[in-house]
Amino acid sequence: EAQVTQNPRYLITVTGKKLTVTCSQNMNHEYMSWYRQDPGLGLRQIYYSMNVEVTDKGDVPEGYKVSRKEKRNFPLILESPSPNQTSLYFCASSLQGQGTTIGGYTFGSGTRLTVV
Amino acid sequence: SQQGEEDPQALSIQEGENATMNCSYKTSINNLQWYRQNSGRGLVHLILIRSNEREKHSGRLRVTLDTSKKSSSLLITASRAADTASYFCATFNTNAGKSTFGDGTTLTVKP
């Protein structure tokens, strides 16, 4: 089944403890992106990647890192998480940038992160 | 205010009625897409309309795009209780890779 898989689904951590949220897609998509979703703020783009070894900042990149060493994986790294990074995170992928495929973006199921 | 703003924020209708949601944006776009999200779940792509298109249909969905007014609308005809969800518009601009999602419209369809 074509899908984007995020892990973990739920995570509670403490301030300052480094964590990684994994994202993997099995559709051979070039483009991948991370978003965070907060009440009243919609989805905001954190980072995106047009292809392997190519990453760019979205609208809210502060406090996050990403890497794209291989096509299928696009992990989101929080080096020193803070409470304001408590949010619902989504990974998405598509064949090309701008979602110019028939199917648009395929989203993962989300990771609910709580930083205490 | 944010690009890709939906209006209304919340909409409640009876099953069988039509639901119309609007989206406004600010900058030039390559395409605009509509997504649906059931509570706490991932977004599901509904329909894509390119900047040179004015209207598009998919089943019970009809999307219009007016680039002169920088606005789009999503019409769901003959709504069903299963259509209850949040609906988001997303704009994709000429800066390849960047996308902007609105805050969404929460649709409730009462059986």
Side-chain angles (χ1 to χ4, degrees):
Chain A
E1 180 187 353
Q3 59 185 358
V4 175
T5 303
Q6 292 179 230
N7 280 298
R9 290 293 309 275
Y10 301 92
L11 178 60
I12 301 175
T13 190
V14 296
T15 299
K17 185 177 181 181
K18 180 179 178 180
L19 66 92
T20 300
V21 183
T22 63
C23 174
S24 179
Q25 50 93 6
N26 62 359
M27 296 165 282
N28 203 36
H29 285 171
E30 294 92 355
Y31 179 89
M32 298 185 75
S33 182
W34 276 102
Y35 298 87
R36 61 179 287 175
Q37 184 176 29
D38 302 287
L41 294 175
L43 274 81
R44 293 179 292 168
Q45 192 174 33
I46 303 172
Y47 269 96
Y48 62 94
S49 169
M50 299 293 286
N51 215 323
V52 176
E53 301 291 1
V54 179
T55 62
D56 276 295
K57 296 177 180 178
D59 293 321
V60 288
E62 295 78 21
Y64 304 95
K65 284 176 58 178
V66 293
S67 69
R68 188 87 183 275
K69 293 186 172 63
E70 50 191 341
K71 203 172 193 178
R72 63 181 294 123
N73 295 322
F74 190 44
L76 179 69
I77 303 156
L78 283 72
E79 294 271 1
S80 183
S82 62
N84 65 13
Q85 292 179 297
T86 292
S87 187
L88 179 58
Y89 291 86
F90 288 102
C91 180
S93 72
S94 75
L95 272 175
Q96 299 176 19
Q98 302 180 28
T100 55
T101 60
I102 295 173
Y105 284 17
T106 301
F107 277 80
S109 298
T111 295
R112 189 167 292 280
L113 172 65
T114 302
V115 183
V116 298
Chain B
S1 53
Q2 199 177 80
Q3 169 125 325
E5 294 187 354
E6 288 90 346
D7 169 56
Q9 288 189 326
L11 180 61
S12 181
I13 59 174
Q14 293 293 137
E15 209 165 28
E17 294 179 340
N18 295 341
T20 300
M21 290 160 265
N22 303 297
C23 168
S24 61
Y25 59 91
K26 295 181 179 177
T27 61
S28 296
I29 62 171
N30 178 281
N31 67 77
L32 184 145
Q33 302 180 27
W34 285 90
Y35 288 81
R36 165 197 169 119
Q37 182 184 35
N38 287 85
S39 181
R41 313 255 329 245
L43 281 74
V44 175
H45 180 264
L46 295 176
I47 196 164
L48 179 155
I49 186 164
R50 301 187 194 283
S51 58
N52 60 355
E53 297 175 313
R54 292 297 167 257
E55 188 170 313
K56 206 159 183 182
H57 297 255
S58 177
R60 295 184 295 113
L61 305 180
R62 172 178 170 254
V63 169
T64 61
L65 179 65
D66 187 334
T67 53
S68 66
K69 294 181 180 178
K70 291 187 167 57
S71 67
S72 172
S73 67
L74 170 68
L75 168 68
I76 304 174
T77 59
S79 63
R80 306 165 182 167
D83 293 329
T84 294
S86 292
Y87 292 82
F88 295 86
C89 71
T91 55
F92 298 81
N93 60 28
T94 53
N95 181 6
K98 293 208 74 173
S99 58
T100 303
F101 283 76
D103 295 342
T105 292
T106 300
L107 173 66
T108 302
V109 182
K110 300 173 186 174

mmCIF file of all heavy atoms in Angstrom, chain A residues 13-19 63-64 77-85 115:
data_model
loop_
_atom_site.group_PDB
_atom_site.id
_atom_site.type_symbol
_atom_site.label_atom_id
_atom_site.label_comp_id
_atom_site.label_asym_id
_atom_site.label_seq_id
_atom_site.Cartn_x
_atom_site.Cartn_y
_atom_site.Cartn_z
ATOM 1 N N THR A 13 8.035 14.123 25.929
ATOM 2 C CA THR A 13 9.451 14.227 26.267
ATOM 3 C C THR A 13 9.671 15.429 27.168
ATOM 4 O O THR A 13 8.762 16.216 27.424
ATOM 5 C CB THR A 13 10.306 14.329 24.996
ATOM 6 O OG1 THR A 13 11.682 14.204 25.347
ATOM 7 C CG2 THR A 13 10.097 15.673 24.317
ATOM 8 N N VAL A 14 10.885 15.561 27.653
ATOM 9 C CA VAL A 14 11.220 16.678 28.529
ATOM 10 C C VAL A 14 12.038 17.710 27.768
ATOM 11 O O VAL A 14 12.721 17.394 26.789
ATOM 12 C CB VAL A 14 11.987 16.204 29.779
ATOM 13 C CG1 VAL A 14 11.103 15.287 30.622
ATOM 14 C CG2 VAL A 14 13.277 15.508 29.399
ATOM 15 N N THR A 15 11.975 18.930 28.230
ATOM 16 C CA THR A 15 12.713 20.029 27.619
ATOM 17 C C THR A 15 14.190 19.694 27.509
ATOM 18 O O THR A 15 14.805 19.231 28.475
ATOM 19 C CB THR A 15 12.527 21.303 28.451
ATOM 20 O OG1 THR A 15 11.139 21.630 28.478
ATOM 21 C CG2 THR A 15 13.298 22.459 27.850
ATOM 22 N N GLY A 16 14.742 19.901 26.307
ATOM 23 C CA GLY A 16 16.164 19.734 26.093
ATOM 24 C C GLY A 16 16.629 18.353 25.680
ATOM 25 O O GLY A 16 17.789 18.180 25.299
ATOM 26 N N LYS A 17 15.765 17.374 25.710
ATOM 27 C CA LYS A 17 16.168 16.019 25.353
ATOM 28 C C LYS A 17 15.961 15.789 23.861
ATOM 29 O O LYS A 17 14.825 15.712 23.372
ATOM 30 C CB LYS A 17 15.376 14.997 26.161
ATOM 31 C CG LYS A 17 15.830 13.568 25.929
ATOM 32 C CD LYS A 17 15.062 12.602 26.807
ATOM 33 C CE LYS A 17 15.550 11.185 26.589
ATOM 34 N NZ LYS A 17 14.806 10.216 27.417
ATOM 35 N N LYS A 18 17.041 15.625 23.147
ATOM 36 C CA LYS A 18 17.007 15.474 21.691
ATOM 37 C C LYS A 18 16.085 14.347 21.255
ATOM 38 O O LYS A 18 16.055 13.277 21.880
ATOM 39 C CB LYS A 18 18.418 15.216 21.163
ATOM 40 C CG LYS A 18 18.510 15.051 19.649
ATOM 41 C CD LYS A 18 19.947 14.827 19.201
ATOM 42 C CE LYS A 18 20.021 14.622 17.689
ATOM 43 N NZ LYS A 18 21.419 14.411 17.226
ATOM 44 N N LEU A 19 15.331 14.597 20.188
ATOM 45 C CA LEU A 19 14.467 13.545 19.668
ATOM 46 C C LEU A 19 14.401 13.617 18.148
ATOM 47 O O LEU A 19 14.694 14.650 17.534
ATOM 48 C CB LEU A 19 13.058 13.670 20.271
ATOM 49 C CG LEU A 19 12.240 14.894 19.896
ATOM 50 C CD1 LEU A 19 11.373 14.613 18.661
ATOM 51 C CD2 LEU A 19 11.328 15.310 21.042
ATOM 52 N N GLY A 63 14.505 25.819 15.490
ATOM 53 C CA GLY A 63 14.439 24.741 16.466
ATOM 54 C C GLY A 63 14.345 23.359 15.864
ATOM 55 O O GLY A 63 14.273 22.368 16.601
ATOM 56 N N TYR A 64 14.374 23.276 14.527
ATOM 57 C CA TYR A 64 14.255 21.983 13.844
ATOM 58 C C TYR A 64 15.412 21.773 12.892
ATOM 59 O O TYR A 64 15.999 22.721 12.392
ATOM 60 C CB TYR A 64 12.947 21.914 13.047
ATOM 61 C CG TYR A 64 11.709 22.161 13.841
ATOM 62 C CD1 TYR A 64 11.146 23.440 13.894
ATOM 63 C CD2 TYR A 64 11.072 21.131 14.526
ATOM 64 C CE1 TYR A 64 9.987 23.684 14.626
ATOM 65 C CE2 TYR A 64 9.915 21.359 15.255
ATOM 66 C CZ TYR A 64 9.378 22.641 15.295
ATOM 67 O OH TYR A 64 8.231 22.876 16.022
ATOM 68 N N ILE A 77 14.360 16.411 13.219
ATOM 69 C CA ILE A 77 15.178 16.346 14.428
ATOM 70 C C ILE A 77 14.952 17.597 15.269
ATOM 71 O O ILE A 77 15.024 18.726 14.748
ATOM 72 C CB ILE A 77 16.668 16.239 14.051
ATOM 73 C CG1 ILE A 77 16.886 15.009 13.169
ATOM 74 C CG2 ILE A 77 17.538 16.172 15.309
ATOM 75 C CD1 ILE A 77 18.109 15.082 12.293
ATOM 76 N N LEU A 78 14.677 17.379 16.541
ATOM 77 C CA LEU A 78 14.602 18.488 17.487
ATOM 78 C C LEU A 78 15.778 18.329 18.431
ATOM 79 O O LEU A 78 15.795 17.439 19.280
ATOM 80 C CB LEU A 78 13.276 18.446 18.269
ATOM 81 C CG LEU A 78 12.022 18.926 17.522
ATOM 82 C CD1 LEU A 78 11.589 17.918 16.449
ATOM 83 C CD2 LEU A 78 10.899 19.209 18.490
ATOM 84 N N GLU A 79 16.783 19.167 18.260
ATOM 85 C CA GLU A 79 18.025 19.030 19.028
ATOM 86 C C GLU A 79 17.803 19.329 20.515
ATOM 87 O O GLU A 79 18.336 18.647 21.378
ATOM 88 C CB GLU A 79 19.089 19.984 18.480
ATOM 89 C CG GLU A 79 19.552 19.669 17.072
ATOM 90 C CD GLU A 79 20.745 18.700 17.049
ATOM 91 O OE1 GLU A 79 21.175 18.267 18.135
ATOM 92 O OE2 GLU A 79 21.232 18.390 15.955
ATOM 93 N N SER A 80 17.011 20.354 20.796
ATOM 94 C CA SER A 80 16.749 20.738 22.184
ATOM 95 C C SER A 80 15.292 21.203 22.282
ATOM 96 O O SER A 80 15.004 22.401 22.273
ATOM 97 C CB SER A 80 17.704 21.863 22.616
ATOM 98 O OG SER A 80 17.494 22.193 23.978
ATOM 99 N N PRO A 81 14.380 20.239 22.380
ATOM 100 C CA PRO A 81 12.957 20.578 22.341
ATOM 101 C C PRO A 81 12.548 21.524 23.468
ATOM 102 O O PRO A 81 13.082 21.454 24.592
ATOM 103 C CB PRO A 81 12.263 19.228 22.496
ATOM 104 C CG PRO A 81 13.290 18.216 22.136
ATOM 105 C CD PRO A 81 14.616 18.802 22.490
ATOM 106 N N SER A 82 11.601 22.391 23.143
ATOM 107 C CA SER A 82 11.047 23.305 24.147
ATOM 108 C C SER A 82 9.527 23.167 24.140
ATOM 109 O O SER A 82 8.951 22.669 23.170
ATOM 110 C CB SER A 82 11.457 24.746 23.835
ATOM 111 O OG SER A 82 10.929 25.129 22.583
ATOM 112 N N PRO A 83 8.868 23.600 25.212
ATOM 113 C CA PRO A 83 7.403 23.448 25.290
ATOM 114 C C PRO A 83 6.656 24.071 24.119
ATOM 115 O O PRO A 83 5.575 23.593 23.757
ATOM 116 C CB PRO A 83 7.067 24.136 26.619
ATOM 117 C CG PRO A 83 8.283 23.917 27.465
ATOM 118 C CD PRO A 83 9.438 24.054 26.513
ATOM 119 N N ASN A 84 7.195 25.130 23.512
ATOM 120 C CA ASN A 84 6.474 25.747 22.385
ATOM 121 C C ASN A 84 6.552 24.900 21.121
ATOM 122 O O ASN A 84 5.968 25.271 20.083
ATOM 123 C CB ASN A 84 6.955 27.179 22.123
ATOM 124 C CG ASN A 84 8.397 27.243 21.678
ATOM 125 O OD1 ASN A 84 9.007 26.241 21.334
ATOM 126 N ND2 ASN A 84 8.949 28.449 21.674
ATOM 127 N N GLN A 85 7.248 23.791 21.183
ATOM 128 C CA GLN A 85 7.256 22.848 20.063
ATOM 129 C C GLN A 85 6.241 21.716 20.268
ATOM 130 O O GLN A 85 6.156 20.795 19.443
ATOM 131 C CB GLN A 85 8.651 22.274 19.849
ATOM 132 C CG GLN A 85 9.630 23.333 19.352
ATOM 133 C CD GLN A 85 11.030 22.811 19.157
ATOM 134 O OE1 GLN A 85 11.686 22.372 20.120
ATOM 135 N NE2 GLN A 85 11.507 22.842 17.918
ATOM 136 N N VAL A 115 6.028 18.422 24.833
ATOM 137 C CA VAL A 115 7.296 18.711 25.497
ATOM 138 C C VAL A 115 6.982 19.359 26.847
ATOM 139 O O VAL A 115 6.343 20.407 26.901
ATOM 140 C CB VAL A 115 8.179 19.647 24.658
ATOM 141 C CG1 VAL A 115 9.529 19.855 25.354
ATOM 142 C CG2 VAL A 115 8.384 19.092 23.255
#
